[in-house]
Amino acid sequence: MSDSEKIKKFDNSVIQWIDKRLPIFSLLKKEYVRFQVPRNFNYLWNFGAILLVLLVIMIVTGIFLAMNYTPHTALAFDSVERMTRDVNYGWLMRAVHMNGASFFFIAAYIHIFRCIYYGSYKNPREIVWILGVFLLMMLMVTSFTGYCLPWSQLSGWGTTVITSLFSAVPLVGDSLVTWLWGGFSVDNPTLNRFFVLHFLLPFILCAFVLLHIWAIHTTGSNNPTGVEPKSGKDTVPFHPRYTAKDSFGLLLFLIVFAAVTFFAPFALTEPEHFRPFDPLQTPEHIVPEWYFLPFYAILRAFTMDICIPFTQIVLLSAKLQGVLALLGSVVVLLFLPWLDTSPVRSARYRPVYKWCLFLWVVSVVVLGYSGAQSAEGLPMLFGQIGTFFYFFHFLAVMPLLGKFEKTLLIPDSISEAVDKKMGMKN
Amino acid sequence: MRKIISFLVLFAILFLSVSAVAGESVPPLQHNWSHKSLFGTYDREAVRRGYQVYSEVCSLCHTMKFVSYRNLADIGFLPKEVKNIAAQYSVTDGPNDDGEMFERPALPSDTFMSPFKNEKSARAANNGALPPDMSLLVFAREGGEDYIYDLLTGFTPPPTGIQAQTDIYYNKYFPGGQIAMPQPLSDNLDQSAQDVVQFLAWVSDPYMEQRKRMGVKVILFLLVFAGVTFKIKQRVWSKAGKGKTN
């Protein structure tokens, strides 16, 4: 109990009164004021805070949109258009929410890339990382169900394509799809349950965010050197150092967000998103939102059924392979802490791995390109090569390279690395 | 790190520039529209003339179900004019206290009247084709304004090799080339097409000007706020501030 005695009492008597009964101010002080963090974070460490703010923006705008939305196949498209035109500042809420989804993914992908580049998932932060992968999965389901709600051509057909994937599950596939749809096609029951899920999931996501933050505050943050803090010289208190730095980074991010939202709010949408869903008319191109394109390319990369040799009995249909690869592309992330065998965390000191990681990022971009094209010819081939590289990096490069790579000299401590950098500057 | 950041930029550019373009049809030409530039506004005169074209020609077949007569005030029609325009149309309302439906003149709060009773009657009057709703037409077509302008001005006799059919017309900008809509505009074609396209652009995105105005304020605010925050950050991180923070 000596710890709690050490915390200075609050000057404000009301706060003191509350804190004695519910130590919420002590908690905030401990976790966000005095909390010691490495002193050498770069701007890539801003994205956790940025994501938190985006989550709040999405929930607030989403609640206002939900108040004016009608989850019915005959009314959904019209209700979205009505709230854009006839509800005060409906256009603003919709533009922020719509582009917020894209910026949520931009921030999430940068956050994830930062973890991979600096080896933030390694011992002792495995659980932080795994919770993060769960957050990514929830984010994907949330955005996918949200994309369905305007009941446009892309909403309806996107939902049809993705939910139909479950039909690839052996034996129970078709029943599973009927169960998901709540009927024999994407229809009103599907829209209703997607609306419920889209409203519910963000709150579950919030709970996981709390766990994610709890875990990172327990292990302490990683830093660009990947070396754990060793003494007081390596760390600074969270406030005001990182509250100031995070605020600045957040504002820069919001400027870009605002620029797109106010000056090009429809840049990331397709024309088919402005036509109401017609189950009898398939659009020429069904493209998912840009942030799903790499996964969409992985899904389509498989074209050959695997049969028992010399028979026609299909063991693993091309469709099922695609679905498994799609699931695998996210699930594999859960195992990164154990797939990466290198004792060195930060890619800064891993000259070969750095290039492999670069190639992996290239493969993700190529997959994104391929996902936007029709599944044929050269783009299709690119998609297949990209898929191979995506998995090759995680399943072969990461485990093997860690054992053989000659790493650069790691600094003894964070302060040594910082001093060296400052020395070079002067 | 610099390499990686430049790469992320490339990543973004690549994705933003990737757009699925439908094959077969001729891609629309690029035109200059005053409202498309960064701070551009709608040309009110053109939009009003475009409304005239719409109400005299397009509205005979096309619906515009998300727009109300009162919205016309936003492009400069006076309240009285809006009332008069609305009153030219009649709406089926009801049922009244006797349980009967009745006809009344439209009010500014009513949405634009549909030229047909329902989809079936629209198809019946147009040889089976359904004229699309025009409320979102500029957004709902690849190429937007450019495409609609080219379509309106691009009607030609079918080239050799394509058989002329009754009630099917040829337009190289239309996907597939064969369109059920006869050439809608002919007098002063270029001007009328430009006007109606600008009217349709306004209809699709009526809050564009308000959005851009607010965007300027929001971004200015964020820039100033970011500047202040940057100064604070520098102070906090400078050696002078070190003693206080620990």
Side-chain angles (χ1 to χ4, degrees), chain B residues 20 36 39 56-57 71 74 171 211 242:
Chain B
K36 293 273 272 185
F39 300 109
E56 283 163 18
V57 184
N71 295 130
D74 297 346
N171 191 315
R211 196 178 60 230
K242 211 171 187 177

Side-chain angles (χ1 to χ4, degrees), chain A residues 102-418:
Chain A
S102 284
F103 278 85
F104 213 127
F105 273 95
I106 291 173
Y109 286 160
I110 296 176
H111 192 60
I112 293 166
F113 171 77
R114 191 265 303 174
C115 292
I116 295 178
Y117 189 85
Y118 295 109
S120 299
Y121 47 77
K122 289 188 194 180
N123 179 12
R125 299 182 185 84
E126 297 95 329
I127 293 197
V128 184
W129 170 257
I130 288 169
L131 286 167
V133 178
F134 286 153
L135 285 173
L136 174 67
M137 291 172 181
M138 275 184 266
L139 177 63
M140 288 171 138
V141 178
T142 307
S143 65
F144 171 66
T145 50
Y147 196 58
C148 167
L149 301 186
W151 211 242
S152 68
Q153 275 286 68
L154 279 190
S155 302
W157 287 104
T159 307
T160 307
V161 169
I162 301 300
T163 47
S164 300
L165 294 178
F166 289 90
S167 70
V169 176
L171 304 176
V172 294
D174 289 329
S175 327
L176 195 61
V177 172
T178 310
W179 179 73
L180 276 175
W181 286 343
F184 297 103
S185 66
V186 171
D187 210 330
N188 207 42
T190 328
L191 179 59
N192 266 296
R193 61 188 57 186
F194 272 36
F195 177 54
V196 172
L197 287 175
H198 185 67
F199 201 100
L200 172 70
L201 274 171
F203 295 100
I204 298 177
L205 203 133
C206 283
F208 272 79
V209 167
L210 281 181
L211 294 179
H212 190 63
I213 295 174
W214 184 9
I216 193 66
H217 277 234
T218 305
T219 59
S221 297
N222 186 30
N223 65 79
T225 62
V227 180
E228 293 290 326
K230 289 185 177 137
S231 69
K233 269 164 69 187
D234 293 343
T235 59
V236 287
F238 188 83
H239 180 73
R241 295 292 183 120
Y242 286 111
T243 40
K245 194 166 180 174
D246 279 351
S247 304
F248 178 60
L250 171 69
L251 283 165
L252 290 187
F253 189 83
L254 288 182
I255 288 170
V256 182
F257 181 22
V260 173
T261 303
F262 287 100
F263 290 97
F266 307 110
L268 297 168
T269 49
E270 296 283 328
E272 292 290 350
H273 205 44
F274 294 98
R275 298 178 184 207
F277 178 43
D278 180 355
L280 299 176
Q281 194 192 0
T282 323
E284 235 176 297
H285 278 279
I286 303 175
V287 232
E289 289 279 77
W290 68 266
Y291 39 80
F292 287 141
L293 288 175
F295 300 102
Y296 192 52
I298 290 177
L299 171 72
R300 299 188 308 182
F302 297 84
T303 48
M304 237 167 54
D305 293 339
I306 297 175
C307 300
I308 297 173
F310 313 114
T311 65
Q312 292 296 315
I313 304 164
V314 177
L315 276 182
L316 212 53
S317 66
K319 190 174 173 186
L320 185 57
Q321 293 168 41
V323 174
L324 291 176
L326 175 71
L327 283 176
S329 64
V330 184
V331 170
V332 72
L333 297 174
L334 289 170
F335 299 97
L336 283 207
W338 298 279
L339 285 170
D340 188 347
T341 53
S342 173
V344 177
R345 281 206 191 105
S346 174
R348 235 183 221 188
Y349 309 107
R350 300 183 61 187
V352 183
Y353 176 72
K354 199 189 262 182
W355 280 105
C356 295
L357 196 55
F358 180 74
L359 282 180
W360 176 77
V361 176
V362 172
S363 77
V364 173
V365 177
V366 167
L367 280 170
Y369 162 76
S370 161
Q373 312 299 315
S374 45
E376 58 199 3
L378 217 53
M380 181 70 177
L381 185 67
F382 283 156
Q384 288 164 334
I385 297 169
T387 305
F388 173 77
F389 255 83
Y390 183 94
F391 286 105
F392 184 75
H393 178 80
F394 288 137
L395 301 176
V397 173
M398 270 195 166
L400 294 178
L401 196 62
K403 297 212 161 108
F404 302 113
E405 188 180 20
K406 246 187 122 159
T407 56
L408 304 179
L409 194 65
I410 302 165
D412 278 335
S413 68
I414 294 171
S415 49
E416 187 199 293
V418 174

Side-chain angles (χ1 to χ4, degrees), chain B residues 7-36:
Chain B
F7 198 82
L8 287 172
V9 172
L10 189 84
F11 183 88
I13 291 169
L14 203 112
F15 272 151
L16 289 175
S17 61
V18 164
S19 60
V21 181
E24 293 176 51
S25 59
V26 177
L29 308 165
Q30 299 277 322
H31 303 277
N32 281 326
W33 304 104
S34 72
H35 60 275
K36 293 273 272 185

